[in-house]
Structure formats: C-alpha cells, structure tokens
Amino acid sequence: MKGWRTGLAIGLALAVWRSSPGLAEEASPSLHPATEYLSTGMKAEQADLARNRGMLWVDQGAALWRQAQGVAGKACADCHGEAEASMRGVAARYPAVDATSNRLLNLEGRINQCRTTRQQAQALAYESNELLGLTAFIAYQSRGLPVNVATGGPAQPYVEAGRKLWNERQGQLNLACAQCHEAKAGHKLRGDTISSGVGTGYPVYRLEWQGMGSLHRRLRACQLGVRAIQFDQGAPEYLALELYLASRAAGLPIETPALRR
Amino acid sequence: MRPARIVVPETAKVGEIVEIKALIQHPMVTGHTAAGANTEPRDIIHTLTVTYDGAEIFRADFMPGIAANPYVAFTTVATVTGDIVFTWTDDKSEVTTAARTLRVP
Amino acid sequence: MRAARKSYSVAVPAAACANKRRTLAVGVLLGGLLLPGALKTAAAEQLAPFEIVGDAIPLALDGLPGDAERGRVIVLDRTGGNCLICHKVPVASEPFQGELGPDLAGVGGRLTAAQIRQRLVDQSRLDRATLMPPYYRVDNLTRVAAPFQGKPVLNAQQIEDVVAWLATLKDQERP
C-alpha cells in the first residue's frame, strides 16, 4: 500500500515535471530512441555495420583523424592518439560550453575550433563529407554510451534558450517542436512516425537525403515543414536547441551512425 | 577512387560458404528529369566485378533505380588464400577498386 | 442577414458600412503584432473580414460559394491543404493518412459548415494548445518564411471550397 502510494506520488511528480514546460496537450510519453520507430528491416540495416551506409563516412573520418592538416602539419591523432580510447564518451558530453571562449560548441564546432587554432587549418564546411566524417567517427566512439551533457553552470542559459525555442510556435503553420515531438511522438504524420525529438544518432544516414547529414540539417527540414525561416547550420539557436535536445535525451544511448527515413 | 567498404571473414575453411558485403559512396544520379527536379546527366555505377584469387566470381550491372551508396552482398565458397578485389565503374569511367584478403589455412 | 447577431458573442466589431467593417476587423486581427506596418497593409488587403459567433463563422468568407469538388482536391493535395498529413478522410485510394488530428469521416454530421469554417480559419481561438494550423490568419505568427509572409495558408475561396467538401462528409463509416 505504502509502495503504491509512493509510486503514485513519484508518478504524479514526474507527470507535473514532464508537462510543465511545454505546449504539449497530453502528458509526455517517456522518450524513445528514434530507432524504435524504424521498420524491422531498417533496424537490421542500422545494426549491421557491414551494411550501414553511415560507416562509409565513419571510415572517411578515421582516415582524416590520422592525416596531418594545416600549417601546423598535425593530425588529430598527433595530440589525441587513438580515438577509440581518447574520444570514447566525448560525443555523449556535447554540446558543451568551451571553458576558454565561454561559447557553446557542438562536436562539429569543437572539431573546427581544433582545426583553426591547433592545426591552423581552414574550418571544414557544415555538411561537407570531411566534417560529417570526422563528426561521425568521433561520435561512433561513443556508440551505446548514454547521453550525459552538462546542463548547469555556464550551460544553463543555453539550455533555457533551447527549451524556449523548442516550445515556441513558429512559421506559417504556427507549430512548436514540442507539439509534435512531445505530445505526438509515435503517431503518424502521413506515412512517417513522429520521433521523440532526440538527436542521439547524428550525423545520420537519411534515406530522404540519400546521404549523411547533420542534426542541424534535420532541424532545417523541420523548420521548412512548418514554413518558418530556417536558421543556418551552426547558428546559435540550433546549438542551444541541440543542447536542450541532448538534455532531454539524457541516458539514451548514442547511435551514430544511425539510419533514418 | 571513392570511399568503399568491404566486409569479408578473416579466415574460412576450405569449402566453407562465406558472405561478402560491400558498400561504395556514390550519388547514383539517375538522370531522370521530372518537372522542376534534378537535371543532372545520368551518373551511376554501371558495373561491379569481383575477383577472388584472380578469377571473376561475381558481376553485376547496376540500373538507375538503385539507391545512392549501393550495397551488395553475395556468397562464395572459400578455396584458397587470396584477395577478393572489387572494381566499380561509373558513367564517367571513374573506377574504384578495393580489396580484402580471405585466408584459408 | 445579421438578424441573429445580437444573440451571439461577437469577437470582431462590425461597422455599418461594409468597407469600414473590413478595415476594423483586420485592424483588430492585427492588433499588437510584431509585423511591420507595411506588411499589415498588405495583409489587410488579402484577408476577408469575418465574424466569429460562438465557435462558428456563420457567413462564407467574402460571400464566396464553396465548391465541394475543388475542396476535395485541396484537402488531398500535398502542396495545397495537405490535410492528410494529420487527418484521415474517407477516401480509400489515399494511402498513409495521418493520425494527429480527428478523423474527418463524419465531420459534416458532427459540425455545421459554420463550425468547420471557424476550425479552418483559426482553431487556436477555440483551443489555445491546438496542433491545427491557422489556415486563414496572418497575424501573431513567428518567423514566417519569406514566401509565406503576410499570406494565409489557404485563400478565402479555398477555405470555402474545403468547408463545402468537409460538410458533405456526413457518414461516420469508412468506405
């Protein structure tokens, strides 16, 4: 009896906590990795690394990791050694506030910061095979590890900014991210299943793209769908949203390179 | 040369059936034009050949309906230690080769 | 034609002169917005005035007659109303119908044409948290992409066409 009451109290507390920030009209379901919404065939394709097309980019990233770059003539490996050891768990902690610049960096931003300051090389363009490859290669080292971003201290204002964007109606269709991806996750939007809005598999190989793409590219697609002004890849708004998504996804496993429709 | 990925067992016994899987990065541009859609000329991988220890064991003609970054899987029978060599050729005559050694002790 | 007005709650004040009424209605619609003034004028020229009475808009927008057949096309068209992204309709030939909004089979029996019109124009006046986009509203929106700025999702004629078709869906049964 007592256990039942405690359970109910915790359940109610969770329900209040879960539903407080959003526009969601129903109590939020627990979050699901987007892989759960894939067909059996696509799940198998994602799990089989001999068949997972994202591994083509992971391989490219692995090669770049060992190539000397820029004026400094240094490879990533010259400082960081074997990525399998040094990069394990790193992607699970990104986006993160960079202590020296006090700026929020996602993995792509961190790679480019290293390139411009340490390797003295050109920053890689968003959606270039090189940046997708390096990002996927580094995130791949955290495959299966739980998302664990810092949300307090200097990260807190960014989390709040991301949460605000998540809950803000936008575009001609006047929809907020939360309205679909919280309240309607698992439901059908035409033939597609709405995800819980967790970016735990990025960069992903998306069938619609017939290629690999970043989380920010995916966010642009959603903004296009609601007929809103799209932010640029790497924009501060997307970085904050990426951090907020990661904070919601805390504990879910990294799935890079994931396969998505 | 395009990024390619071949997965072959490291070793196999004589007579064992082994599965070979391969991926290559290629946009497989169909060249089909719908109103307002892409008008790029066709550029697909049209031929894949695979040799094992010098002898051809697999050949495929690809068609424009095949998705980007095409995946192929087939089986063969392990006979001797030798290289399994993939050669993909596209409409621009770009050739990509990649190889793995199958050890048959 | 406005004989019954006094018994309804009127959200938008109506003036005696039709032209003046249009100006007033749009003025109220756009009140307190972030849109620049120039856009307000442009939008004001596009939107027909309407009166909300309870949960309905009794009069056809701009007095236009709706065409059910055209409405059906708009509902099914992915670049038009794209209604099937969220709703099911009793049209068996359409695969992959959405399930976010109510099933529209029988909607013409459940709601009057006037109530359907209100839900298309701006459902958020009835339900603040609704998922249903406002199909005939240009104000109080955030970061609208350039091609759509100052324009409603559907124009007055299209709204009336869709209302006309939905009103024919009286049967709850699916084919």
Coordinates of all heavy atoms in Angstrom, one line a residue, chain B residues 14-60:
Chain B
V14 N 38.4 -24.5 -46.1 CA 38.2 -24.9 -47.5 C 36.7 -25.5 -47.6 O 36.3 -26.3 -46.8 CB 39.2 -26.0 -47.9 CG1 38.9 -26.5 -49.3 CG2 40.6 -25.5 -47.9
G15 N 36.0 -25.0 -48.6 CA 34.7 -25.5 -48.8 C 33.6 -24.7 -48.1 O 32.4 -24.9 -48.3
E16 N 34.0 -23.9 -47.2 CA 33.1 -23.1 -46.4 C 32.4 -22.0 -47.2 O 33.0 -21.4 -48.1 CB 33.8 -22.5 -45.2 CG 32.9 -21.8 -44.2 CD 33.6 -21.2 -43.0 OE1 34.8 -21.7 -42.7 OE2 33.1 -20.3 -42.4
I17 N 31.1 -21.8 -47.0 CA 30.4 -20.7 -47.7 C 30.6 -19.4 -46.9 O 30.3 -19.4 -45.7 CB 28.9 -21.0 -47.9 CG1 28.7 -22.3 -48.8 CG2 28.1 -19.8 -48.4 CD1 27.3 -22.8 -48.8
V18 N 31.1 -18.4 -47.5 CA 31.4 -17.1 -46.8 C 30.5 -16.0 -47.5 O 30.3 -16.0 -48.7 CB 32.9 -16.7 -46.9 CG1 33.7 -17.6 -46.1 CG2 33.4 -16.6 -48.3
E19 N 30.0 -15.1 -46.6 CA 29.3 -14.0 -47.1 C 30.2 -12.8 -47.2 O 31.0 -12.5 -46.4 CB 28.1 -13.7 -46.1 CG 27.2 -12.6 -46.7 CD 25.9 -12.4 -45.9 OE1 25.9 -12.5 -44.7 OE2 24.9 -12.0 -46.6
I20 N 30.0 -12.1 -48.3 CA 30.8 -10.9 -48.6 C 29.9 -9.7 -48.8 O 28.9 -9.8 -49.5 CB 31.7 -11.2 -49.9 CG1 32.7 -12.3 -49.7 CG2 32.4 -9.9 -50.3 CD1 33.2 -12.9 -50.9
K21 N 30.2 -8.6 -48.1 CA 29.3 -7.5 -48.2 C 30.1 -6.2 -48.6 O 31.3 -6.1 -48.1 CB 28.6 -7.2 -46.8 CG 27.8 -8.4 -46.3 CD 27.3 -8.1 -44.9 CE 26.5 -9.2 -44.4 NZ 26.0 -8.9 -43.0
A22 N 29.6 -5.4 -49.4 CA 30.3 -4.2 -49.8 C 29.5 -3.0 -50.0 O 28.3 -3.1 -50.4 CB 31.1 -4.5 -51.1
L23 N 30.0 -1.8 -49.7 CA 29.4 -0.5 -49.8 C 30.3 0.4 -50.6 O 31.5 0.3 -50.4 CB 29.1 0.1 -48.5 CG 27.9 -0.4 -47.6 CD1 28.1 0.2 -46.2 CD2 26.6 0.0 -48.2
I24 N 29.8 1.3 -51.4 CA 30.6 2.3 -52.0 C 29.8 3.6 -52.0 O 28.6 3.7 -52.1 CB 31.0 2.0 -53.5 CG1 31.9 3.1 -54.0 CG2 29.8 1.7 -54.3 CD1 32.5 2.7 -55.4
Q25 N 30.6 4.7 -51.8 CA 30.0 6.0 -51.8 C 29.8 6.5 -53.2 O 30.8 6.8 -53.9 CB 30.8 7.0 -51.0 CG 30.1 8.2 -50.5 CD 31.0 9.1 -49.6 OE1 31.7 9.9 -50.1 NE2 30.9 8.9 -48.3
H26 N 28.6 6.7 -53.6 CA 28.3 7.1 -55.0 C 26.9 7.7 -55.0 O 26.0 7.1 -54.6 CB 28.5 6.0 -56.0 CG 28.6 6.5 -57.4 ND1 27.5 7.0 -58.1 CD2 29.7 6.6 -58.3 CE1 27.9 7.4 -59.3 NE2 29.2 7.2 -59.4
P27 N 26.7 8.9 -55.7 CA 25.4 9.5 -55.7 C 24.3 8.8 -56.5 O 23.1 9.0 -56.3 CB 25.6 10.9 -56.2 CG 26.9 10.8 -57.0 CD 27.7 9.8 -56.3
M28 N 24.8 8.0 -57.5 CA 23.8 7.2 -58.4 C 22.8 8.2 -58.9 O 21.6 8.0 -58.7 CB 23.2 6.1 -57.6 CG 24.2 5.0 -57.1 SD 25.0 4.0 -58.4 CE 23.7 2.9 -58.9
V29 N 23.3 9.2 -59.7 CA 22.4 10.2 -60.3 C 21.6 9.5 -61.4 O 22.2 9.0 -62.4 CB 23.2 11.4 -60.8 CG1 22.3 12.4 -61.4 CG2 24.0 12.0 -59.7
T30 N 20.3 9.5 -61.3 CA 19.5 8.7 -62.3 C 19.5 9.3 -63.7 O 19.3 8.6 -64.7 CB 18.1 8.6 -61.8 OG1 17.5 9.9 -61.8 CG2 17.9 8.0 -60.4
G31 N 19.6 10.7 -63.7 CA 19.4 11.4 -65.0 C 18.0 11.5 -65.4 O 17.7 12.2 -66.4
H32 N 17.1 11.0 -64.6 CA 15.7 11.2 -64.9 C 15.3 12.6 -64.5 O 15.7 13.1 -63.5 CB 14.8 10.2 -64.1 CG 15.0 8.8 -64.5 ND1 15.1 8.4 -65.9 CD2 15.2 7.6 -63.8 CE1 15.3 7.1 -65.9 NE2 15.4 6.6 -64.7
T33 N 14.5 13.2 -65.4 CA 14.0 14.5 -65.1 C 12.5 14.6 -64.9 O 11.8 14.2 -65.8 CB 14.4 15.5 -66.2 OG1 14.0 15.0 -67.4 CG2 15.9 15.7 -66.2
A34 N 12.1 15.0 -63.8 CA 10.7 15.3 -63.5 C 10.6 16.8 -63.5 O 11.6 17.5 -63.4 CB 10.2 14.8 -62.2
A35 N 9.4 17.3 -63.7 CA 9.2 18.8 -63.7 C 9.8 19.4 -62.5 O 9.5 19.0 -61.4 CB 7.7 19.1 -63.8
G36 N 10.7 20.3 -62.7 CA 11.3 21.0 -61.5 C 12.4 20.2 -60.8 O 12.9 20.7 -59.8
A37 N 12.6 19.0 -61.2 CA 13.5 18.2 -60.4 C 14.9 18.2 -61.1 O 15.1 19.0 -62.0 CB 13.0 16.7 -60.3
N38 N 15.8 17.4 -60.6 CA 17.2 17.4 -61.0 C 17.4 17.2 -62.5 O 16.7 16.4 -63.1 CB 17.9 16.4 -60.1 CG 18.7 15.4 -61.0 OD1 19.6 15.7 -61.6 ND2 18.2 14.1 -60.9
T39 N 18.2 18.0 -63.1 CA 18.5 17.8 -64.5 C 19.9 17.4 -64.7 O 20.5 17.6 -65.8 CB 18.3 19.2 -65.2 OG1 19.0 20.2 -64.5 CG2 16.8 19.6 -65.2
E40 N 20.6 16.9 -63.7 CA 22.0 16.4 -63.9 C 21.9 15.2 -64.8 O 21.1 14.4 -64.8 CB 22.5 15.9 -62.5 CG 23.2 17.0 -61.7 CD 23.7 16.4 -60.4 OE1 24.9 15.9 -60.4 OE2 23.0 16.3 -59.4
P41 N 23.0 15.1 -65.7 CA 23.0 13.9 -66.5 C 23.3 12.6 -65.7 O 23.8 12.7 -64.6 CB 24.2 14.2 -67.5 CG 25.0 15.2 -66.8 CD 24.1 16.0 -65.9
R42 N 22.8 11.5 -66.2 CA 23.0 10.3 -65.5 C 24.4 10.0 -65.1 O 25.3 10.2 -66.0 CB 22.5 9.1 -66.4 CG 22.3 7.8 -65.7 CD 21.9 6.7 -66.6 NE 23.1 5.8 -66.8 CZ 23.0 4.5 -67.1 NH1 21.8 4.0 -67.3 NH2 24.1 3.8 -67.2
D43 N 24.6 9.7 -63.9 CA 26.0 9.2 -63.5 C 25.8 8.1 -62.4 O 25.6 8.4 -61.2 CB 26.8 10.3 -62.9 CG 28.2 9.9 -62.4 OD1 28.6 8.8 -62.9 OD2 28.8 10.5 -61.6
I44 N 25.7 6.9 -62.9 CA 25.6 5.8 -61.9 C 26.8 4.8 -62.1 O 27.5 4.9 -63.1 CB 24.3 5.0 -62.2 CG1 24.3 4.3 -63.5 CG2 23.1 5.9 -62.0 CD1 23.2 3.2 -63.7
I45 N 27.0 4.1 -61.1 CA 27.9 2.9 -61.2 C 27.2 1.9 -62.1 O 26.1 1.6 -61.8 CB 28.3 2.3 -59.9 CG1 29.1 3.2 -59.1 CG2 28.9 0.9 -60.1 CD1 29.3 2.8 -57.6
H46 N 27.8 1.6 -63.3 CA 27.0 0.7 -64.2 C 27.5 -0.8 -64.0 O 26.8 -1.7 -64.3 CB 27.0 1.1 -65.6 CG 28.4 1.4 -66.2 ND1 29.3 0.3 -66.5 CD2 29.1 2.5 -66.5 CE1 30.4 0.9 -67.0 NE2 30.3 2.2 -66.9
T47 N 28.8 -0.9 -63.5 CA 29.3 -2.3 -63.5 C 30.1 -2.5 -62.2 O 30.9 -1.7 -61.8 CB 30.2 -2.6 -64.7 OG1 29.6 -2.2 -65.9 CG2 30.5 -4.1 -64.7
L48 N 29.8 -3.6 -61.6 CA 30.7 -4.1 -60.5 C 31.2 -5.5 -60.8 O 30.4 -6.3 -61.2 CB 29.9 -4.2 -59.2 CG 30.5 -5.0 -58.0 CD1 31.7 -4.4 -57.5 CD2 29.5 -5.2 -56.9
T49 N 32.5 -5.7 -60.7 CA 33.1 -7.0 -60.9 C 33.9 -7.3 -59.6 O 34.5 -6.4 -59.0 CB 34.0 -7.1 -62.1 OG1 35.1 -6.2 -61.9 CG2 33.2 -6.8 -63.4
V50 N 33.8 -8.6 -59.3 CA 34.6 -9.1 -58.1 C 35.4 -10.3 -58.5 O 34.9 -11.2 -59.1 CB 33.6 -9.4 -57.0 CG1 34.4 -9.8 -55.7 CG2 32.6 -8.3 -56.7
T51 N 36.7 -10.2 -58.2 CA 37.5 -11.4 -58.4 C 38.0 -12.0 -57.1 O 38.1 -11.3 -56.1 CB 38.7 -11.0 -59.3 OG1 39.5 -10.1 -58.6 CG2 38.3 -10.5 -60.7
Y52 N 38.3 -13.3 -57.1 CA 38.8 -14.0 -55.9 C 40.0 -14.8 -56.4 O 39.9 -15.6 -57.3 CB 37.7 -14.9 -55.3 CG 38.1 -15.8 -54.2 CD1 39.2 -15.6 -53.4 CD2 37.4 -17.0 -54.0 CE1 39.6 -16.4 -52.4 CE2 37.7 -17.8 -53.0 CZ 38.8 -17.6 -52.2 OH 39.2 -18.5 -51.2
D53 N 41.2 -14.4 -55.9 CA 42.4 -15.0 -56.3 C 42.5 -15.0 -57.9 O 42.9 -16.0 -58.5 CB 42.5 -16.5 -55.8 CG 43.9 -17.1 -56.0 OD1 44.8 -16.3 -55.7 OD2 44.0 -18.2 -56.3
G54 N 42.1 -13.8 -58.4 CA 42.3 -13.6 -59.9 C 41.2 -14.0 -60.8 O 41.1 -13.6 -61.9
A55 N 40.3 -14.9 -60.3 CA 39.2 -15.3 -61.1 C 37.9 -14.6 -60.8 O 37.6 -14.3 -59.6 CB 39.0 -16.8 -60.9
E56 N 37.1 -14.2 -61.8 CA 35.9 -13.5 -61.5 C 34.9 -14.4 -60.9 O 34.6 -15.5 -61.4 CB 35.3 -12.9 -62.9 CG 34.1 -12.0 -62.6 CD 33.7 -11.3 -63.9 OE1 34.4 -10.6 -64.5 OE2 32.5 -11.6 -64.3
I57 N 34.3 -13.9 -59.7 CA 33.3 -14.7 -59.0 C 32.0 -14.0 -59.0 O 31.0 -14.7 -58.6 CB 33.8 -15.1 -57.6 CG1 34.1 -13.8 -56.8 CG2 34.9 -16.1 -57.6 CD1 34.1 -14.0 -55.3
F58 N 31.9 -12.8 -59.3 CA 30.6 -12.0 -59.2 C 30.7 -10.8 -60.2 O 31.7 -10.2 -60.3 CB 30.4 -11.6 -57.8 CG 29.1 -10.9 -57.5 CD1 28.0 -11.7 -57.2 CD2 29.0 -9.5 -57.6 CE1 26.8 -11.0 -57.0 CE2 27.7 -8.9 -57.4 CZ 26.6 -9.7 -57.0
R59 N 29.6 -10.6 -60.9 CA 29.5 -9.4 -61.7 C 28.0 -8.9 -61.6 O 27.1 -9.7 -61.6 CB 29.8 -9.8 -63.2 CG 29.5 -8.7 -64.2 CD 29.8 -9.2 -65.6 NE 31.3 -9.2 -65.8 CZ 31.9 -8.1 -66.4 NH1 31.2 -7.0 -66.7 NH2 33.2 -8.2 -66.6
A60 N 27.9 -7.6 -61.6 CA 26.5 -7.0 -61.5 C 26.5 -5.8 -62.4 O 27.4 -5.0 -62.5 CB 26.2 -6.6 -60.1

